Amino acid sequence: MRVLAISGSLRRDSYNTALLRAARDLAPAGVAVEHYDGLAAIPAFSEDLEADPPAEVRDLREQIAAADALLVATPEYNGSAPGALKNALDWASRPRGTAALVAKPAAVIGASPSSFGAKWAQEQIRRALMLSGAMVVEPELAVANADQRFVDGELVDGEVRAGLAEVLEALAEFSAAESAIAA
């Protein structure tokens, strides 16, 4: 099973990108977590470009479509989801009804140095995914005080590692069940 991992942060030393690196290591047997790294290149969404989207958008859509599931890690900026991530999801939600996100199992996690763990941003991204037709799974993972849970870009907090493993297991189980139903 292939899980496409998208970090909503463009920052080089991002906690959310580090969280996705940890997901690669904690993935259940048979699950490959692959990082999408083209977020910064996606142009602003424009309906005028829908008929002939830019190459970066086509690549994003193809990568989502080829994945069995999606894992999104979002930071929180001013109590909201980052614009680059929301923009990418807007592109991936088109064309309506046949978009790459339709019926795609997805999980949303997030890390923030704040005491809230990007909960508001996660809520917004979950809503955007669900309204786009994705099947968002539980459990949730909000990593608060991220600056205390990572050392040199590595997730060192055992409780957070266990929570991340739980999210990955739930995503894998749900995706496998959906694949069995579709077959």
Side-chain angles (χ1 to χ4, degrees), residues 30 48 54 74 146 182:
D48 292 339
T74 184

PDB file of all heavy atoms in Angstrom, residues 30 48 54 74 146 182:
ATOM      1  N   GLY A  30       4.160  -3.482   4.967  1.00  0.00           N
ATOM      2  CA  GLY A  30       3.443  -3.420   3.698  1.00  0.00           C
ATOM      3  C   GLY A  30       2.955  -2.043   3.315  1.00  0.00           C
ATOM      4  O   GLY A  30       2.325  -1.877   2.271  1.00  0.00           O
ATOM      5  N   ASP A  48     -10.084  29.623 -14.329  1.00  0.00           N
ATOM      6  CA  ASP A  48      -9.723  29.890 -15.721  1.00  0.00           C
ATOM      7  C   ASP A  48      -8.730  28.862 -16.255  1.00  0.00           C
ATOM      8  O   ASP A  48      -8.625  28.666 -17.466  1.00  0.00           O
ATOM      9  CB  ASP A  48      -9.132  31.287 -15.876  1.00  0.00           C
ATOM     10  CG  ASP A  48     -10.147  32.388 -15.628  1.00  0.00           C
ATOM     11  OD1 ASP A  48     -11.370  32.107 -15.725  1.00  0.00           O
ATOM     12  OD2 ASP A  48      -9.724  33.519 -15.330  1.00  0.00           O
ATOM     13  N   PRO A  54      -1.836  23.737 -15.001  1.00  0.00           N
ATOM     14  CA  PRO A  54      -0.378  23.724 -15.093  1.00  0.00           C
ATOM     15  C   PRO A  54       0.194  22.331 -14.780  1.00  0.00           C
ATOM     16  O   PRO A  54      -0.434  21.525 -14.096  1.00  0.00           O
ATOM     17  CB  PRO A  54       0.051  24.737 -14.021  1.00  0.00           C
ATOM     18  CG  PRO A  54      -1.149  25.598 -13.800  1.00  0.00           C
ATOM     19  CD  PRO A  54      -2.334  24.716 -14.041  1.00  0.00           C
ATOM     20  N   THR A  74      -0.394  19.262   8.868  1.00  0.00           N
ATOM     21  CA  THR A  74      -0.562  20.704   8.719  1.00  0.00           C
ATOM     22  C   THR A  74      -0.079  21.479   9.931  1.00  0.00           C
ATOM     23  O   THR A  74      -0.378  21.131  11.068  1.00  0.00           O
ATOM     24  CB  THR A  74      -2.039  21.072   8.432  1.00  0.00           C
ATOM     25  OG1 THR A  74      -2.128  22.483   8.215  1.00  0.00           O
ATOM     26  CG2 THR A  74      -2.967  20.662   9.553  1.00  0.00           C
ATOM     27  N   ALA A 146       5.513  21.209  19.869  1.00  0.00           N
ATOM     28  CA  ALA A 146       6.357  20.424  18.972  1.00  0.00           C
ATOM     29  C   ALA A 146       7.838  20.698  19.179  1.00  0.00           C
ATOM     30  O   ALA A 146       8.664  19.795  18.999  1.00  0.00           O
ATOM     31  CB  ALA A 146       5.970  20.694  17.524  1.00  0.00           C
ATOM     32  N   ALA A 182     -14.248  -2.380  -3.060  1.00  0.00           N
ATOM     33  CA  ALA A 182     -14.246  -1.976  -4.463  1.00  0.00           C
ATOM     34  C   ALA A 182     -13.951  -3.147  -5.397  1.00  0.00           C
ATOM     35  O   ALA A 182     -14.356  -3.117  -6.562  1.00  0.00           O
ATOM     36  CB  ALA A 182     -13.202  -0.880  -4.678  1.00  0.00           C
TER      37      ALA A 182
END
